[in-house]
Amino acid sequence: MGGAAAREGVAMTDLTSVDRPLIPMPDDFTSVLCVVAHPDDLEYGAASAVARWTGEGKQVRYALVTSGEAGIDGMTPDECGPLREGEERAGAAQVGVADVEFMGHTDGVVEYGLALRHDIAAAIRRHRPELVVTINGGLLWGAGTELPRLNMADHRNVWLAVLDGARDAGNRWIFTDLLEEGLEPWTGVQWVAVSGSADARHAVDITGHLDRGVASLRAHAAYLAGLGDNTIDPDEFLRAMASTAGARAGVEHAVAFELIAI
């Protein structure tokens, strides 16, 4: 439920210090795995960077911890989950991603722990990325602003499990059952890139790719409609965020990332 920030009135452009210049993110990688809690989490910015990467021929895959089944108040989880999975696949297709998987953890009550680390490590061993992408897992959205908002527990728990899972994936003696499944250790993850972080210092230039990112968010039509009075306009929302990051990076449009070495 990346739209939580929109529902709560938090401007995504406030998530980083506007005074801090952004430097270009390294691009010497060919394989990316994006791991987030919910359908739509990636579409609030990161998907525009994905559009650039797939356009350059990089392989990008998505792994969603939940199906977002608790995300629409007027729809039961049994109805909502399949619908949101479909919207996520449609949104991913808009930015060139065909491989989307769902881990099946329960939306809204995702717990940090061995089960989550195991599933993330398994996905990393299976897909063997050099870059792993996730979203802000800090306590707050808008940290450092006048009125920050509480970040969702799912986001916080998944973020930490992604960091740990990226390291777990390379250790043969952690989750040894994965060896029995034929998933050999993978030590090739160089970085975890965190979108929406208050500590962002890097940027991906998405000039010319923003429209595909907007289309990716528009694919979540039922979810956006479910926001009610807090519905956003995807083009206006993403363009403002990309313009702010772009100004800090010295380009027209950009996505800001915190880059963590593994």
Side-chain angles (χ1 to χ4, degrees):
M1 285 176 278
R7 289 198 304 277
E8 296 170 357
V10 178
M12 296 291 279
T13 52
D14 288 340
L15 292 179
T16 53
S17 169
V18 295
D19 297 325
R20 179 188 296 153
L22 298 171
I23 61 175
M25 200 164 104
D27 63 359
D28 54 337
F29 55 87
T30 60
S31 179
V32 183
L33 179 64
C34 300
V35 184
V36 292
H38 316 106
D40 92 310
D41 282 352
L42 290 165
E43 283 69 35
Y44 285 89
S48 297
V50 171
R52 172 177 172 169
W53 294 331
T54 59
E56 294 172 340
K58 300 182 191 298
Q59 177 67 58
V60 183
R61 300 176 177 91
Y62 287 1
L64 285 294
V65 171
T66 80
S67 297
E69 67 273 13
I72 300 178
D73 185 65
M75 188 176 292
T76 67
D78 286 346
E79 297 173 290
C80 187
L83 182 148
R84 295 200 69 197
E85 286 186 5
E87 289 190 336
E88 182 61 27
R89 291 190 176 96
Q94 292 289 341
V95 292
V97 177
D99 192 339
V100 181
E101 62 184 49
F102 298 88
M103 298 181 187
H105 290 255
T106 303
D107 185 19
V109 292
V110 175
E111 294 183 296
Y112 173 82
L114 293 179
L116 184 57
R117 283 172 52 187
H118 174 280
D119 290 351
I120 291 172
I124 290 171
R125 289 192 185 191
R126 186 162 54 250
H127 298 300
R128 306 175 82 78
E130 297 150 275
L131 174 69
V132 174
V133 173
T134 192
I135 68 165
N136 173 35
L139 180 63
L140 304 173
W141 287 109
T145 63
E146 183 176 350
L147 187 61
R149 300 282 182 170
L150 180 67
N151 194 3
M152 292 183 60
D154 283 2
H155 295 160
R156 303 196 311 265
N157 291 336
V158 169
W159 166 81
L160 183 56
V162 167
L163 295 178
D164 289 337
R167 180 166 290 178
D168 295 338
N171 190 324
R172 179 176 302 277
W173 308 119
I174 296 177
F175 307 131
T176 54
D177 62 299
L178 296 179
L179 298 174
E180 299 169 7
E181 298 175 23
L183 295 176
E184 288 293 321
W186 173 246
T187 59
V189 177
Q190 300 180 56
W191 315 279
V192 173
V194 184
S195 174
S197 170
D199 294 320
R201 288 172 169 78
H202 290 79
V204 174
D205 182 357
I206 60 164
T207 305
H209 301 279
L210 180 58
D211 286 348
R212 294 175 68 197
V214 170
S216 187
L217 180 55
R218 286 196 191 281
H220 294 267
Y223 178 71
L224 292 174
L227 296 178
D229 292 341
N230 291 312
T231 298
I232 64 167
D233 175 79
D235 186 83
E236 179 181 330
F237 189 82
L238 292 177
R239 198 166 297 277
M241 180 169 62
S243 295
T244 298
R248 294 170 56 207
V251 299
E252 184 178 0
H253 294 128
V255 176
F257 288 98
E258 178 186 4
L259 201 61
I260 300 170
I262 298 301

